[in-house]
Amino acid sequence: MSEPRLSSARQTLIDTLPEETSLFGQAVDTRFIHVPASHAKALHPDTQLVVGMRGAGKSFWWRALQDKRQRALVAERAPNTGLAKAAQVAAGFGETPNPDAYPGPDVLAQLVETGQDPRLVWRTVILHALTDGAVTQGDSWAERVANVAQDPERMDHALFEHDRRYDREDTYWIILFDALDRSASNWRTMNALIRGLLQAMLDLRPYRRLRAKSFLRTDQLDEREVGDFADASKVLAGRVDLDWPAYELYALLWQYLCNSADGAFRGELETELRLASQPFSDLWLPPVELRRSEVEQRRVFHAIAGPWMGRDHRRGYPYTWVPNHLADAGGRTSPRSFIVALRKAAEETAERYPTHAWPLHHESIKRGVQSASKVRVRELQEDYPWVGTLMEPLNGKVVPCAFSAVAKAWQETGALGELERRVAERNERLPPAHLVQGVDGVRQDLENLGIFLRLRDGRVNIPDVFRVGYGLGRRGGVRPIRPGDSG
């Protein structure tokens, strides 16, 4: 009996998976929303602190929760999110500029530098959104912050009255904060703003129906820097991480493929594998078995990618190989990397192996990992320019390797000296937090970002999702990107 093959998958992957995986202010497409089980708790109104790596979905949920229709859809599909009672959702900060709703980065920096308490700044933003400016007033954020500071009793009454109203209506008012990495260019200001935000969020906890939810990156939550205030644990202890275990990544993939415009993949699933999708509102839900069973997920993905990552099983199995090679040192794989890799794999197969027996060729999957690595390196460069200064001297090296070899490369190229100069000139955005501790300090910083992995024998290893993009080798591993390689 021949192995099942889903021939429509190659074109469906190309047609449905997005080329650009960052929203950058664009609307979320309802058809492709997947709610992982672990995310349901993060979306609940009572969850104040949501933490995730870049690409884990923080901005995605920040935007989706502001859309009434999408919020209702999520509430219907995942009742345990508690969103059915969310009547109004406001934005307190995010990637999309909105000076009428919240101050931009330059205004925030100016407010902090002129001595305003960051907690008071965020409290003003909350009150401005809650009362539609009725109690904050003023033509500028500086004036509004001053007004809130001068009349705290009036502010308390405003919070109290609005809370009573939402309680009578048996609903919630929620304000969302995201993209705090864009709120400051140095760690001192960033930590002060995050600390102040956590305090302002704590202030809302006693109210029955007023909620604040903040989406933060893992490295933004150094509790030694932002959690040194009374009752900080009440906010920090309730954090929920946006995790993406492998079976949820595949569940997201099925959500895309089953909602293709032509329905070809959905039809093939039913006729070839007897897996029926379910209509839901104006979209399709993947078959229940595909959402819940890793055995079924593996069977279907191997009907797309073939049973092995080469001539036999010794090269690995595609179902586990793909997420494993896209994970960082903490074992975390972002859905963005996963989507980028599979779309590129489909395009590469169509171009180089159009007659291949399966929709995806294993060599094209490896090229997909190269593309995902390139995207991750670009994101790191945007978030932490100093990472490139430390990683570029390692180009051409083979990992795992002794840390002394890494330190030697940094010394020979003067990488740390270059960083120290830029920091002294205040020309380095969010520099490594432990630079003053020398090579051991920046090693710790790279480990905290999931780029370096410290092996038991002390050597340095680097996951493929970073190694490939920065041009390092590994025996038997995916070939690193070389100059001239296409996307």
Side-chain angles (χ1 to χ4, degrees), residues 102 141 153 178 233 252 283 300 307 314 324 355 369 418 457:
Y102 44 82
W141 283 102
E153 190 169 343
D178 181 44
S233 62
L252 174 65
L283 52 85
V300 172
R314 289 174 296 181
N324 286 346
T355 60
V369 168
E418 168 65 13
D457 61 7

Side-chain angles (χ1 to χ4, degrees), residues 423-482:
V423 171
E425 295 174 353
R426 298 178 180 270
N427 193 27
E428 184 65 24
R429 182 177 179 274
L430 300 179
H434 302 94
L435 179 60
V436 294
Q437 298 174 22
V439 293
D440 291 327
V442 294
R443 179 186 191 178
Q444 183 64 54
D445 290 324
L446 291 170
E447 289 176 351
N448 291 344
L449 289 177
I451 300 171
F452 273 18
L453 176 65
R454 188 184 301 239
L455 300 179
R456 288 185 176 182
D457 61 7
R459 289 183 300 163
V460 174
N461 201 0
I462 299 176
D464 280 357
V465 73
F466 301 120
R467 176 188 66 79
V468 172
Y470 282 114
L472 285 84
R474 183 201 313 281
R475 289 188 60 188
V478 176
R479 189 174 69 84
I481 295 174
R482 301 299 185 201

Side-chain angles (χ1 to χ4, degrees), residues 188-203:
R188 183 177 59 81
T189 304
M190 169 87 74
N191 287 335
L193 286 168
I194 291 175
R195 184 177 186 273
L197 177 59
L198 297 179
Q199 290 176 297
M201 291 165 61
L202 179 63
D203 292 341

Side-chain angles (χ1 to χ4, degrees), residues 246 249-250 317-328 331-333 338 369 463-465:
L249 293 170
Y250 282 103
Y317 303 96
Y319 179 75
T320 51
W321 193 97
V322 174
N324 286 346
H325 283 73
L326 293 172
D328 68 9
R332 298 162 298 200
T333 302
F338 189 70
V369 168
D464 280 357
V465 73

Side-chain angles (χ1 to χ4, degrees), residues 34-61:
H34 168 63
V35 188
S38 64
H39 291 213
K41 186 177 180 182
L43 301 180
H44 196 282
D46 286 342
T47 298
Q48 292 184 295
L49 193 55
V50 182
V51 180
M53 63 188 294
R54 178 158 177 171
K58 298 184 298 298
S59 296
F60 178 91
W61 288 127

Side-chain angles (χ1 to χ4, degrees), residues 385-398:
W386 56 268
V387 171
T389 305
L390 294 175
M391 294 301 292
E392 285 162 10
L394 308 184
N395 187 294
K397 293 194 174 300
V398 176

Side-chain angles (χ1 to χ4, degrees), residues 93-368:
F93 192 82
E95 63 180 5
T96 308
N98 190 348
D100 291 332
Y102 44 82
D106 291 342
V107 178
L108 280 173
Q110 188 177 53
L111 289 169
V112 173
E113 288 169 4
T114 54
Q116 292 289 2
D117 180 357
R119 169 187 164 274
L120 194 61
V121 173
W122 293 122
R123 184 175 175 83
T124 303
V125 172
I126 291 170
L127 281 158
H128 189 71
L130 179 66
T131 67
D132 199 22
V135 299
T136 50
Q137 300 179 347
D139 295 328
S140 70
W141 283 102
E143 289 180 29
R144 293 164 189 157
V145 172
N147 290 336
V148 170
Q150 289 170 5
D151 198 350
E153 190 169 343
R154 186 184 182 203
M155 305 305 147
D156 286 344
H157 277 290
L159 290 165
F160 179 75
E161 294 301 331
H162 279 80
D163 185 54
R164 287 185 62 184
R165 177 165 72 85
Y166 285 112
D167 194 30
R168 285 195 301 272
E169 296 171 359
D170 192 24
T171 187
Y172 287 95
W173 179 85
I174 308 172
I175 187 167
L176 306 174
F177 298 86
D178 181 44
L180 270 295
D181 56 303
R182 302 185 184 192
S183 67
S185 60
N186 63 76
W187 282 110
R188 183 177 59 81
T189 304
M190 169 87 74
N191 287 335
L193 286 168
I194 291 175
R195 184 177 186 273
L197 177 59
L198 297 179
Q199 290 176 297
M201 291 165 61
L202 179 63
D203 292 341
L204 283 190
R205 275 183 62 90
Y207 295 99
R208 293 174 61 86
R209 298 293 180 170
L210 307 182
R211 296 290 183 269
K213 188 186 297 293
S214 179
F215 296 93
L216 294 178
R217 280 200 323 235
T218 310
D219 60 297
Q220 292 175 319
L221 203 60
D222 185 340
E223 295 186 15
R224 296 166 300 180
E225 300 290 341
V226 303
D228 57 338
F229 59 91
D231 288 335
S233 62
K234 291 181 179 176
V235 179
L236 297 172
R239 69 176 268 180
V240 175
D241 289 71
L242 291 180
D243 294 326
W244 283 92
Y247 65 89
E248 295 288 13
L249 293 170
Y250 282 103
L252 174 65
L253 176 65
W254 313 135
Q255 187 67 39
Y256 271 100
L257 299 187
C258 288
N259 281 282
S260 63
D262 63 6
F265 181 81
R266 191 170 62 245
E268 204 172 23
L269 261 184
E270 186 162 2
T271 57
E272 297 296 323
L273 300 178
R274 298 186 177 181
L275 292 169
S277 303
Q278 302 165 332
F280 183 88
S281 186
D282 56 353
L283 52 85
W284 290 87
L285 296 180
V288 174
E289 302 91 325
L290 265 188
R291 285 179 274 150
R292 297 178 180 173
S293 168
E294 293 184 73
V295 173
E296 283 299 299
Q297 287 190 344
R298 175 188 286 256
R299 183 168 76 103
V300 172
F301 191 64
H302 286 187
I304 296 173
W308 304 310
M309 284 301 297
R311 285 178 297 182
D312 55 43
H313 68 280
R314 289 174 296 181
R315 293 293 182 182
Y317 303 96
Y319 179 75
T320 51
W321 193 97
V322 174
N324 286 346
H325 283 73
L326 293 172
D328 68 9
R332 298 162 298 200
T333 302
S334 78
R336 185 177 298 165
S337 297
F338 189 70
I339 294 300
V340 167
L342 292 182
R343 181 187 166 90
K344 181 64 177 179
E347 291 175 340
E348 278 278 325
T349 305
E351 181 180 340
R352 296 191 179 199
Y353 312 100
T355 60
H356 186 56
W358 278 276
L360 296 182
H361 193 284
H362 58 271
E363 290 298 333
S364 294
I365 293 176
K366 293 176 183 175
R367 294 278 293 177

